[in-house]
Amino acid sequence: MTLNEERISSKSISISQALPQFINQCNLPIEPLNSSLLKERGIDLVFLATPNESSHRVIPELLRHNLQVIDLSGAFRLRDIDQYSKWYGFKHLFPSELELSVYGLTEINRLEIKNAQLLANPGCYPTSILLPLIPLHRANLIDYNSTIICDSKSGVSGAGKSPSTATHFSEVTENFNAYKVNQHQHSPEIWQELGNSKVIFTPHLLPINRGILSTIYVKLSDPVDAKDVSDCLNLNYSNESMVRLFKEGTLPQVKYVAHTNFCDIGWEIAGTHLIIVSAIDNLGKGAAGQAVQNMNVMLGLEETLGLI
Amino acid sequence: MTLNEERISSKSISISQALPQFINQCNLPIEPLNSSLLKERGIDLVFLATPNESSHRVIPELLRHNLQVIDLSGAFRLRDIDQYSKWYGFKHLFPSELELSVYGLTEINRLEIKNAQLLANPGCYPTSILLPLIPLHRANLIDYNSTIICDSKSGVSGAGKSPSTATHFSEVTENFNAYKVNQHQHSPEIWQELGNSKVIFTPHLLPINRGILSTIYVKLSDPVDAKDVSDCLNLNYSNESMVRLFKEGTLPQVKYVAHTNFCDIGWEIAGTHLIIVSAIDNLGKGAAGQAVQNMNVMLGLEETLGLI
Amino acid sequence: MTLNEERISSKSISISQALPQFINQCNLPIEPLNSSLLKERGIDLVFLATPNESSHRVIPELLRHNLQVIDLSGAFRLRDIDQYSKWYGFKHLFPSELELSVYGLTEINRLEIKNAQLLANPGCYPTSILLPLIPLHRANLIDYNSTIICDSKSGVSGAGKSPSTATHFSEVTENFNAYKVNQHQHSPEIWQELGNSKVIFTPHLLPINRGILSTIYVKLSDPVDAKDVSDCLNLNYSNESMVRLFKEGTLPQVKYVAHTNFCDIGWEIAGTHLIIVSAIDNLGKGAAGQAVQNMNVMLGLEETLGLI
Amino acid sequence: MTLNEERISSKSISISQALPQFINQCNLPIEPLNSSLLKERGIDLVFLATPNESSHRVIPELLRHNLQVIDLSGAFRLRDIDQYSKWYGFKHLFPSELELSVYGLTEINRLEIKNAQLLANPGCYPTSILLPLIPLHRANLIDYNSTIICDSKSGVSGAGKSPSTATHFSEVTENFNAYKVNQHQHSPEIWQELGNSKVIFTPHLLPINRGILSTIYVKLSDPVDAKDVSDCLNLNYSNESMVRLFKEGTLPQVKYVAHTNFCDIGWEIAGTHLIIVSAIDNLGKGAAGQAVQNMNVMLGLEETLGLI
């Protein structure tokens, strides 16, 4: 397994040298990626937490060496190859690998994930939006002519480790703002997986480290009521260990899911509309946690291994 | 002028004793309110930053002594006297005083404010929502059959000074949550002043001290475009010193308005919808700042005196 | 086992009802303490996370029922029974139970802890101060005529769950202050366990939830040098799994220990003085973590069980 | 006047374009510095908020054009020209300009400041440390053989605007750490102005934007008591508008001075030692505020103009 290339500034440092919180706990060396040696060293599966273009470049090579790959970037999430220039700023060159890619929203695509060689781990925002919306949409509880509003708020770790003015503590503390309104690269991922492009997605930056809370507004089909919503969500998720349904009257909070792999879902009816509040840890279910959950499925292990 | 009764725990302490940041700066005594003595002491106008029920009880007495009153509570904001039991939890007993009350959204009601004896200073959330929406609504740019979504986020000072579990630092830091979804007492105030009850209002608690950012989603009337929106907002606000319009492409942030009396307004078009982002300091334009602005209007002073 | 009595407002609620983050994870009922029934129910050991006076009152009864007790309050930490009135504000009535009490700084008192029936779990601040100082003091590396300065900084969770003005988010965020200078109830605990009362202890409140960092200044005995300090700490802690020694040049940070049971220790020589920086999670090694570590020792379990 | 060169990325932008919080408030253009044109344009005095080496290079030229200069960098603070290589990493080339330089701790050096052509505005940490210590030291209240401990904590804005890993929000929030222990470039400035190098200075990084709190430990001369300390501080500061003395029992907090130009000083006696707590806003009295205060003195204006 390899770490983000950006972290590697010297050949020979260990994880505990790069990240002192792991002192005495993890001294594995950080090494440059060498695809051809991985199999020899007994490695079956590779996690990529690399920038989009690095993943795009490296994955075909890893697949050629018969490695399974879980990619945490967006490089293999969009099925329409022409969308990459617009949303990710690079031309995608690997259509056949793209066809292999399975979108790793575990609870929704578990069967395909079991047999995936290349898994595109979902974006953090889409995970928080798609888990509540997909069952409601598939059950036709949402008015198809209306626009779905997804007002999402994320902690700063969602922006990655690279320092920038936008992530400078003095810019973030005691602040809050919307950004990339209607232009975030997670929009097409939401439209694609929901099968509905009448979705407005507005990301905001919270002055916290980790966590996403999405407030989602949908017009219900007539005559859907609270029981229908409740039944639909229960049918899909009451047996899922990583999705926790809140009863009407209590709502998820970021602190309930921070440092976990849970997706918490709550909701309220407001006249003709349903207000959904979902929460995840963007580094947990929104990234590394879901990646591990997917690895467990891909390797036939207990799905929650290492997660609860 | 009087301070919040909650702060008065002892007869003889001064402001700098209660709030050491005012040491050497303000040693005025904190005294119990005595309505009948205020006129004798040369006071013309009283600010009330008291709980709803305290304001409700005290104001008729102050008015009888011919004092002008600016009330920062909600006790005289709703014109329909029957609404108080539901939204504020007490029965309103003063219908004639309620009729005198002027809703103090300065830029919208300036003429009535000039002659007000009793001014109901607007709620913090409604200020951030009504300033952008009222001109657009009056100009018929908003589709009247659609539901307006107001997704608002506020700093903790909006919850007042009283300690509670919800405002405990450990509950708030690194957290974020929605609360009183569809049940907040500011909802009827928004409906009343907008003249439209098809508004869903969802407040959220931000881990910051001061500031509100509201993200507002409206369906535009056909065939309204960006220029119509821009023209309407410019017509209403380009000469206002306390409302700042952002050009498409830049959006307000909480830090731009913290410690000021500004309301910043920005927006983006998303297909058939308009996304508005507005920001105020909930303690500035959302409370004390707007109260001072209203006092200036009521007393015929320069409107921005003490504010810029 | 029982929870803090303050949390119990109703007989029949479960942990997940009181603390929604445990939804689906822990539904154990919260019940009033009934000492006489605990043994019958198969319970051997009780954790008390109760106020000082509650622990003081309840512990004799628990001991009478032959239960082992780990008390997270200060009620049985000071061996001199006359000190309680001054530092804890109540007269201590149980001298014989007090004599049974073992001070639970695991790495220092492991042998006594193995056989303890009543364990006084150390205070959070003292843990961060005593772990680095005791070995240096016992090895006579510290100039005995000088004053030791302990400048400690703690997150807000150290102040407990009860809401107060001092823990209101708006008072804490973007703030920092010293408090109880020279008057904190942890001072006599430090003096007693170190066997030296020439220690000045100044606690400060950090705008974070969890974590303590103590910066400790000691004058070294002549001619102690860096190697002596290093050797002494290594001798005592290089085989300890819960104490992590940092090499000169790197220093502990709160984030390295948050959500762990580690005590991290780093240091620099400054001429005649040694500057020690130690860090713990006040809820981990400073409270619940060390309590579990002590339980493991008392019950003969693997010491790090449930902790790494 | 000129802004930090780092901010200038393009010739023609205005302050409100670079910093949207100044929209409608300040549209002055940001221009490259041209020393020879400043006098023609009627400018008498220049503030430099530039990196140390930029100030070092630019100041001789400004002085040649007969401009008064207030330099917020450290380039002209140390009188011993040989110290710059060690502490600031560059060789100082302008000994005659350095001789002109006046250290701008306003309350201490007011007379020299009145006639300064080149003013070296003090560092933020030294301001918080020197204001309380200088009067006590000059009055011989401090034991001259003992070591003075300055344990200082600063908000992140003290580290400047440039993004770095150390100022990334995710590194700072919920964290706290010491840095540059015994190696900070403000140490020689403290030693020089105090006239005593037996001072240990330990800076720490607080998870707040602005503010410094210094906890200072000094051994008192025998037989100094509380009244001596109080008298000395009162004698020096009771008539100063920008230094606020706290009575024993109350202590300064960062929030009392944030967004002000005050230096607040409180203290407690602990046996043979005096514990001083001082607080400033590192951007106020610690930088821009004190710079304006010094400008007022240099230009013969009311000293608090623009500051209260």
Side-chain angles (χ1 to χ4, degrees):
Chain A
M1 296 177 221
T2 74
L3 284 189
N4 189 323
E5 295 172 313
E6 290 170 35
R7 301 292 312 163
I8 310 175
S9 49
S10 147
K11 260 186 196 167
S12 53
I13 68 167
S14 69
I15 287 181
S16 65
Q17 284 171 308
L19 302 166
Q21 60 266 45
F22 291 109
I23 192 170
N24 293 4
Q25 310 308 118
C26 177
N27 294 316
L28 288 174
I30 300 178
E31 302 172 15
L33 178 66
N34 185 330
S35 307
S36 53
L37 289 181
L38 293 175
K39 267 288 179 191
E40 291 180 25
R41 294 167 69 179
I43 287 166
D44 295 317
L45 185 147
V46 175
F47 290 99
L48 286 176
T50 35
N52 300 304
E53 293 179 70
S54 307
S55 285
H56 170 254
R57 181 169 42 78
V58 162
I59 282 174
E61 194 185 318
L62 292 167
L63 295 177
R64 264 199 310 279
H65 286 89
N66 279 321
L67 291 151
Q68 283 181 290
V69 178
I70 295 178
D71 180 28
L72 281 85
S73 87
F76 287 83
R77 288 188 199 143
L78 303 182
R79 281 190 293 277
D80 178 354
I81 200 165
D82 298 330
Q83 296 290 308
Y84 287 91
S85 305
K86 174 171 182 189
W87 295 102
Y88 286 100
F90 68 90
K91 189 169 158 50
H92 204 297
L93 302 173
F94 302 108
S96 53
E97 285 81 357
L98 190 53
E99 265 185 37
L100 290 178
S101 173
V102 173
Y103 188 75
L105 200 58
T106 328
E107 288 76 10
I108 303 296
N109 295 336
R110 192 176 278 120
L111 286 182
E112 296 90 324
I113 294 168
K114 262 191 225 290
N115 301 306
Q117 196 187 348
L118 169 56
L119 185 129
N121 211 57
C124 48
Y125 285 123
T127 297
S128 74
I129 289 167
L130 293 168
L131 281 172
L133 282 185
I134 285 176
L136 299 170
H137 188 260
R138 291 187 179 168
N140 294 315
L141 302 189
I142 300 176
D143 178 312
Y144 200 76
N145 294 311
S146 67
T147 297
I148 296 172
I149 307 290
C150 300
D151 192 281
S152 295
K153 302 89 176 174
S154 173
V156 179
S157 59
K161 288 188 71 82
S162 303
S164 69
T165 297
T167 61
H168 193 297
F169 182 85
S170 297
E171 296 292 319
V172 176
T173 186
E174 295 291 316
N175 196 10
F176 180 70
N177 61 283
Y179 67 101
K180 289 192 186 176
V181 174
N182 224 30
Q183 297 166 20
H184 194 283
Q185 68 275 13
H186 286 170
S187 291
E189 184 178 337
I190 297 166
W191 302 337
Q192 166 185 290
E193 296 302 316
L194 192 60
N196 180 350
S197 64
K198 298 185 75 169
V199 177
I200 292 178
F201 165 55
T202 312
H204 299 74
L205 187 67
L206 282 171
I208 65 174
N209 183 20
R210 51 204 292 172
I212 285 177
L213 190 130
S214 289
T215 314
I216 305 167
Y217 302 86
V218 300
K219 192 173 177 200
L220 293 169
S221 304
D222 196 30
V224 170
D225 64 11
K227 186 171 180 310
D228 300 321
V229 172
S230 176
D231 287 351
C232 173
L233 292 173
N234 275 313
L235 181 67
N236 282 271
Y237 294 127
S238 61
N239 290 323
E240 289 290 348
S241 56
M242 292 308 187
V243 176
R244 304 192 300 187
L245 299 175
F246 280 55
K247 295 209 178 62
E248 226 189 323
T250 342
L251 290 173
Q253 302 193 5
V254 163
K255 69 172 282 196
Y256 297 162
V257 294
H259 300 273
T260 80
N261 192 48
F262 296 123
C263 176
D264 283 0
I265 300 174
W267 51 277
E268 298 276 348
I269 300 282
T272 55
H273 280 66
L274 171 67
I275 307 173
I276 301 165
V277 175
S278 67
I280 60 169
D281 184 333
N282 58 299
L283 301 178
K285 185 66 174 168
Q290 187 155 245
V292 169
Q293 189 180 359
N294 284 324
M295 176 193 75
N296 291 336
V297 174
M298 289 162 75
L299 300 181
L301 305 170
E302 177 78 28
E303 188 172 316
T304 60
L305 199 68
L307 294 172
I308 293 194
Chain B
M1 297 176 220
T2 75
L3 285 189
N4 189 324
E5 295 171 314
E6 290 170 36
R7 301 289 315 163
I8 309 176
S9 49
S10 148
K11 258 186 195 167
S12 52
I13 67 166
S14 68
I15 286 181
S16 64
Q17 284 171 308
L19 303 167
Q21 60 266 47
F22 291 110
I23 191 171
N24 292 5
Q25 309 310 118
C26 178
N27 294 315
L28 288 173
I30 300 177
E31 301 172 16
L33 178 65
N34 185 329
S35 307
S36 54
L37 288 180
L38 292 175
K39 267 289 181 189
E40 288 180 27
R41 293 168 70 178
I43 287 166
D44 295 317
L45 186 147
V46 175
F47 291 99
L48 288 176
T50 34
N52 300 304
E53 293 180 71
S54 307
S55 286
H56 171 255
R57 179 171 41 78
V58 163
I59 281 174
E61 195 184 318
L62 292 167
L63 294 177
R64 265 201 308 281
H65 287 91
N66 280 318
L67 290 150
Q68 285 181 288
V69 178
I70 295 177
D71 180 29
L72 281 84
S73 88
F76 287 84
R77 287 187 199 143
L78 303 182
R79 280 189 293 277
D80 179 354
I81 201 164
D82 297 332
Q83 297 290 308
Y84 286 91
S85 305
K86 174 171 182 191
W87 295 101
Y88 285 99
F90 68 90
K91 187 169 159 50
H92 205 296
L93 302 173
F94 303 107
S96 53
E97 285 81 357
L98 190 53
E99 268 186 33
L100 289 177
S101 174
V102 172
Y103 188 75
L105 200 58
T106 327
E107 288 75 9
I108 303 296
N109 294 338
R110 194 175 277 121
L111 286 182
E112 296 90 324
I113 294 168
K114 263 192 223 291
N115 301 306
Q117 199 189 345
L118 170 55
L119 185 129
N121 210 57
C124 48
Y125 285 122
T127 297
S128 73
I129 290 167
L130 293 167
L131 281 173
L133 281 185
I134 286 177
L136 299 169
H137 188 260
R138 289 188 180 169
N140 294 314
L141 303 189
I142 301 175
D143 179 310
Y144 200 77
N145 292 313
S146 68
T147 296
I148 297 171
I149 308 290
C150 301
D151 192 281
S152 295
K153 303 90 177 174
S154 173
V156 179
S157 60
K161 286 187 74 82
S162 303
S164 69
T165 296
T167 61
H168 193 297
F169 182 85
S170 298
E171 296 291 319
V172 176
T173 187
E174 295 292 314
N175 195 9
F176 180 70
N177 62 284
Y179 66 100
K180 291 192 186 176
V181 175
N182 223 30
Q183 296 167 21
H184 194 282
Q185 68 277 12
H186 286 170
S187 292
E189 185 179 335
I190 295 165
W191 301 337
Q192 167 184 290
E193 296 302 316
L194 192 61
N196 180 350
S197 63
K198 298 185 75 169
V199 177
I200 291 178
F201 165 56
T202 312
H204 299 74
L205 188 65
L206 282 170
I208 65 174
N209 184 19
R210 51 203 293 171
I212 285 177
L213 190 130
S214 289
T215 313
I216 305 167
Y217 303 85
V218 300
K219 190 171 179 205
L220 292 169
S221 304
D222 195 33
V224 170
D225 65 11
K227 186 172 180 309
D228 298 322
V229 172
S230 176
D231 287 351
C232 173
L233 292 173
N234 275 312
L235 181 68
N236 282 270
Y237 293 127
S238 61
N239 290 322
E240 289 290 348
S241 55
M242 291 310 187
V243 176
R244 304 191 300 187
L245 299 175
F246 279 54
K247 296 209 180 62
E248 228 189 320
T250 343
L251 289 173
Q253 303 193 5
V254 163
K255 66 173 284 195
Y256 297 163
V257 296
H259 301 274
T260 80
N261 192 48
F262 297 122
C263 176
D264 284 0
I265 300 174
W267 50 277
E268 298 275 349
I269 299 282
T272 55
H273 280 66
L274 171 68
I275 307 172
I276 302 166
V277 175
S278 66
I280 60 170
D281 184 332
N282 58 299
L283 301 178
K285 186 65 175 168
Q290 187 155 245
V292 169
Q293 188 181 359
N294 283 324
M295 176 193 76
N296 290 336
V297 173
M298 289 163 76
L299 300 181
L301 304 170
E302 177 77 29
E303 190 172 313
T304 59
L305 201 67
L307 294 171
I308 294 193
Chain C
M1 296 175 220
T2 74
L3 286 188
N4 189 324
E5 295 172 315
E6 289 170 36
R7 300 292 313 163
I8 310 176
S9 48
S10 148
K11 260 185 196 167
S12 52
I13 68 167
S14 69
I15 286 181
S16 64
Q17 285 171 307
L19 302 166
Q21 59 266 46
F22 291 108
I23 191 170
N24 291 4
Q25 310 309 119
C26 177
N27 294 315
L28 288 172
I30 300 177
E31 300 173 16
L33 178 65
N34 186 328
S35 307
S36 53
L37 289 181
L38 292 175
K39 268 286 179 192
E40 290 181 24
R41 294 167 70 178
I43 287 166
D44 296 316
L45 186 147
V46 175
F47 290 99
L48 285 177
T50 34
N52 300 304
E53 294 180 70
S54 307
S55 285
H56 170 253
R57 180 170 41 78
V58 163
I59 282 174
E61 194 184 319
L62 292 168
L63 295 176
R64 265 199 310 280
H65 286 89
N66 279 321
L67 291 150
Q68 284 182 289
V69 178
I70 295 178
D71 179 28
L72 281 83
S73 89
F76 288 83
R77 288 187 199 144
L78 303 182
R79 280 190 292 277
D80 178 353
I81 200 165
D82 297 331
Q83 297 290 307
Y84 287 91
S85 305
K86 174 171 182 189
W87 296 101
Y88 286 100
F90 68 91
K91 189 170 159 50
H92 203 296
L93 303 173
F94 302 107
S96 53
E97 285 82 357
L98 190 54
E99 266 183 37
L100 290 178
S101 174
V102 173
Y103 187 76
L105 200 58
T106 327
E107 287 76 10
I108 303 296
N109 296 337
R110 192 176 277 120
L111 286 182
E112 297 89 322
I113 294 169
K114 264 193 223 288
N115 301 307
Q117 196 186 349
L118 169 55
L119 185 128
N121 210 57
C124 48
Y125 286 122
T127 297
S128 73
I129 289 167
L130 294 167
L131 281 173
L133 281 185
I134 285 176
L136 299 170
H137 187 260
R138 291 187 180 170
N140 294 314
L141 303 189
I142 300 176
D143 178 311
Y144 199 78
N145 293 312
S146 68
T147 297
I148 297 172
I149 308 289
C150 301
D151 192 282
S152 295
K153 303 88 177 174
S154 172
V156 179
S157 59
K161 289 187 71 81
S162 303
S164 70
T165 297
T167 60
H168 193 296
F169 182 85
S170 297
E171 297 291 319
V172 176
T173 186
E174 296 291 315
N175 196 10
F176 180 70
N177 61 282
Y179 68 100
K180 290 192 186 176
V181 174
N182 224 29
Q183 296 166 21
H184 194 282
Q185 68 275 12
H186 286 170
S187 291
E189 184 177 337
I190 296 165
W191 303 336
Q192 166 184 291
E193 296 302 317
L194 192 60
N196 180 350
S197 64
K198 297 185 76 169
V199 177
I200 292 178
F201 165 55
T202 312
H204 299 75
L205 187 66
L206 283 171
I208 66 174
N209 184 21
R210 52 203 292 172
I212 285 178
L213 190 131
S214 289
T215 314
I216 305 167
Y217 303 86
V218 301
K219 191 173 177 202
L220 292 169
S221 304
D222 196 30
V224 170
D225 64 10
K227 185 171 180 311
D228 299 321
V229 172
S230 176
D231 287 351
C232 173
L233 292 173
N234 275 313
L235 181 67
N236 282 272
Y237 294 127
S238 61
N239 291 323
E240 289 290 347
S241 56
M242 291 309 187
V243 176
R244 305 192 299 186
L245 299 175
F246 280 54
K247 295 211 178 63
E248 226 189 323
T250 343
L251 290 172
Q253 302 193 5
V254 163
K255 67 173 285 195
Y256 298 163
V257 295
H259 300 274
T260 80
N261 192 48
F262 296 122
C263 176
D264 283 1
I265 301 175
W267 51 278
E268 298 276 348
I269 300 282
T272 55
H273 280 66
L274 170 68
I275 307 172
I276 302 166
V277 176
S278 66
I280 60 169
D281 184 333
N282 58 298
L283 301 178
K285 185 67 174 167
Q290 187 155 243
V292 170
Q293 188 181 359
N294 284 324
M295 176 193 75
N296 290 337
V297 174
M298 289 163 75
L299 300 181
L301 305 171
E302 176 78 28
E303 188 172 314
T304 59
L305 200 67
L307 293 172
I308 293 193
Chain D
M1 295 177 220
T2 73
L3 286 188
N4 189 323
E5 295 172 314
E6 290 171 35
R7 301 290 315 161
I8 310 177
S9 48
S10 147
K11 258 185 196 167
S12 52
I13 68 166
S14 68
I15 286 181
S16 64
Q17 284 171 307
L19 303 166
Q21 60 265 47
F22 291 110
I23 191 171
N24 291 5
Q25 308 310 117
C26 178
N27 294 315
L28 287 173
I30 300 178
E31 302 172 15
L33 178 65
N34 185 329
S35 306
S36 54
L37 289 181
L38 292 175
K39 266 291 180 189
E40 288 180 27
R41 293 166 71 177
I43 286 166
D44 295 317
L45 186 146
V46 175
F47 291 100
L48 287 176
T50 34
N52 299 305
E53 293 180 71
S54 307
S55 285
H56 171 254
R57 180 170 39 79
V58 162
I59 282 175
E61 194 185 319
L62 292 167
L63 295 177
R64 265 198 311 281
H65 287 90
N66 280 318
L67 291 150
Q68 284 181 289
V69 178
I70 295 176
D71 180 29
L72 281 84
S73 89
F76 287 83
R77 287 187 198 143
L78 303 182
R79 279 190 293 276
D80 178 355
I81 201 164
D82 297 332
Q83 297 289 307
Y84 286 91
S85 304
K86 174 171 183 191
W87 296 101
Y88 285 100
F90 68 91
K91 188 168 159 51
H92 204 296
L93 302 173
F94 303 108
S96 53
E97 284 82 357
L98 190 54
E99 268 186 34
L100 289 177
S101 175
V102 173
Y103 188 75
L105 200 59
T106 327
E107 287 75 10
I108 303 297
N109 294 338
R110 193 176 278 121
L111 286 181
E112 296 90 323
I113 294 169
K114 262 193 224 292
N115 301 307
Q117 199 188 345
L118 169 55
L119 186 129
N121 211 57
C124 48
Y125 285 122
T127 296
S128 74
I129 289 167
L130 294 168
L131 281 173
L133 281 185
I134 286 177
L136 299 169
H137 187 260
R138 292 187 179 169
N140 294 314
L141 303 188
I142 300 177
D143 179 312
Y144 198 78
N145 293 313
S146 68
T147 297
I148 298 171
I149 307 290
C150 301
D151 192 281
S152 295
K153 303 88 177 174
S154 173
V156 179
S157 60
K161 288 187 73 82
S162 303
S164 69
T165 296
T167 60
H168 192 298
F169 182 85
S170 297
E171 296 291 319
V172 177
T173 186
E174 296 291 316
N175 196 8
F176 181 70
N177 61 284
Y179 67 100
K180 291 191 186 177
V181 174
N182 222 29
Q183 296 166 21
H184 194 282
Q185 67 276 13
H186 286 171
S187 292
E189 185 178 335
I190 296 165
W191 302 337
Q192 166 184 291
E193 295 302 316
L194 193 60
N196 181 349
S197 63
K198 298 184 74 169
V199 177
I200 292 178
F201 164 57
T202 313
H204 299 74
L205 188 66
L206 283 170
I208 66 174
N209 184 19
R210 52 204 292 173
I212 284 177
L213 191 130
S214 289
T215 314
I216 305 167
Y217 303 85
V218 300
K219 190 170 178 206
L220 292 169
S221 305
D222 194 32
V224 171
D225 65 9
K227 186 171 180 310
D228 299 320
V229 172
S230 177
D231 287 351
C232 173
L233 292 173
N234 275 313
L235 182 67
N236 281 271
Y237 293 127
S238 62
N239 290 323
E240 289 290 347
S241 55
M242 291 310 187
V243 176
R244 305 192 300 187
L245 299 175
F246 279 55
K247 295 210 179 63
E248 229 188 320
T250 343
L251 290 173
Q253 302 193 4
V254 163
K255 67 173 284 196
Y256 297 163
V257 295
H259 301 274
T260 80
N261 192 49
F262 296 123
C263 176
D264 283 1
I265 301 175
W267 50 278
E268 298 276 349
I269 300 282
T272 55
H273 279 66
L274 171 68
I275 307 172
I276 303 165
V277 176
S278 66
I280 60 170
D281 184 332
N282 58 299
L283 301 178
K285 185 66 174 169
Q290 187 155 246
V292 169
Q293 189 181 358
N294 283 324
M295 176 193 74
N296 290 336
V297 174
M298 289 163 76
L299 300 181
L301 305 170
E302 176 77 30
E303 190 172 314
T304 59
L305 200 67
L307 294 172
I308 295 193

